[in-house]
Amino acid sequence: MSEPYTYPRKGSIDDPLRIAVLISGSGSGLLSLLKHQQSNQCPHVTKLIISDNVNAGGLHHGGIFEISTAAIPLPRSSDKNQQRTLHENLIHEKLINSKIELIVLSGYMRILTSVFVKKWKGRIINIHPSLLPKYPGAHAHRDALADGAEITGCTVHLVDEGVDTGEIIAQEEVPILEGDTVEKLQERVKRIEHQLYPKVLDDFCS
Ligand code: GAR
């Protein structure tokens, strides 16, 4: 049986929710969130950035914005299940030590185990580059193009024990244009994501 969602407390401008942003890549979504938090009074504040990828371009944003940043790669282990557990334990410990109240996945490309999700359920939010339930998984743009879709988009949703199956909070459509490639579509969708995610977080946290 799946666990119910346990939502975070209400954040306020005086006492914002402490967010950790988890990334794996260039972190353009992270950057848009940090700029949003810098130029607006928000009920949330980024206190920690974690990447599973030590070479993630997005790790640089932490230094520029003076936010505690950690690269936590998968530890060495021949047992894949043990490796995932050890990795998530390291992340969990870091989140607890930083008094994190909400985990924001922003291009984090690892699937979280149900054990980890249960500990944080209702307090993990993700953005996915499709109109879920269409095209879940790691290749949403490729799958949308292969399907001949004319419309795709992005979805902000709570994370549950499945892959991109949690409760949907917001979606926005993006048209697929003639001659689109994965790269062109990805850029167009990201531009929408960068507006949508910070706004949804403002609402969700308050
Ligand atoms: C974003 O488009 C995000 O929706 C996607 O990765 C990109 C990250 O870009 N996430 C997923 O595909 C999760 N399954 P960024 O690193 O430039 O922010």
Side-chain angles (χ1 to χ4, degrees):
M1 215 182 78
S2 76
E3 299 279 316
Y5 293 105
T6 305
Y7 302 108
R9 71 175 170 91
K10 222 180 207 183
S12 66
I13 290 156
D14 295 333
D15 189 12
L17 273 188
R18 297 171 65 85
I19 286 181
V21 183
L22 270 57
I23 60 166
S24 297
S26 64
S28 64
L30 164 67
L31 182 60
S32 70
L33 176 62
L34 296 177
K35 286 182 176 167
H36 176 81
Q37 289 172 331
Q38 193 175 54
S39 47
N40 296 278
Q41 294 199 308
C42 294
H44 47 83
V45 58
T46 301
K47 286 290 181 188
L48 179 64
I49 297 164
I50 294 178
S51 172
D52 61 314
N53 170 10
V54 293
N55 298 313
L59 283 168
H60 296 298
H61 303 315
I64 294 164
F65 284 79
E66 298 182 351
I67 295 167
S68 171
T69 300
I72 306 182
L74 272 182
R76 281 178 198 278
S77 170
S78 52
D79 180 329
K80 293 280 166 221
N81 287 331
Q82 191 189 42
Q83 190 181 37
R84 288 180 83 189
T85 304
L86 287 172
H87 187 231
E88 290 182 349
N89 286 349
L90 291 171
I91 293 175
H92 180 75
E93 195 179 296
K94 189 88 190 156
L95 296 167
I96 296 295
N97 288 342
S98 301
K99 300 187 171 57
I100 294 305
E101 298 173 286
L102 177 69
I103 302 171
V104 172
L105 304 182
S106 185
Y108 186 69
M109 299 309 283
R110 295 195 56 78
I111 294 166
L112 296 164
T113 66
S114 59
V115 174
F116 182 89
V117 170
K118 280 192 179 98
K119 289 181 196 161
W120 290 92
K121 196 166 170 190
R123 295 174 296 144
I124 316 176
I125 200 164
N126 182 41
I127 189 155
H128 181 80
S130 76
L131 297 174
L132 290 171
K134 287 219 152 219
Y135 318 124
H139 302 285
H141 300 307
R142 184 196 69 186
D143 295 347
L145 290 172
D147 201 25
E150 292 180 359
I151 304 250
T152 186
C154 49
T155 302
V156 179
H157 66 98
L158 286 168
V159 173
D160 70 3
E161 291 85 349
V163 177
D164 301 325
T165 51
E167 187 180 303
I168 291 174
I169 301 173
Q171 295 187 303
E172 201 157 321
E173 290 185 356
V174 177
I176 296 182
L177 306 178
E178 188 120 359
D180 259 351
T181 59
V182 166
E183 291 73 25
K184 283 186 192 171
L185 186 55
Q186 183 179 49
E187 279 317 305
R188 191 168 332 110
V189 172
K190 276 191 189 184
R191 281 203 291 277
I192 302 301
E193 290 184 347
H194 296 170
Q195 295 161 22
L196 180 69
Y197 212 5
K199 268 192 252 155
V200 170
L201 286 169
D202 287 350
D203 290 345
F204 184 77
C205 293
S206 56

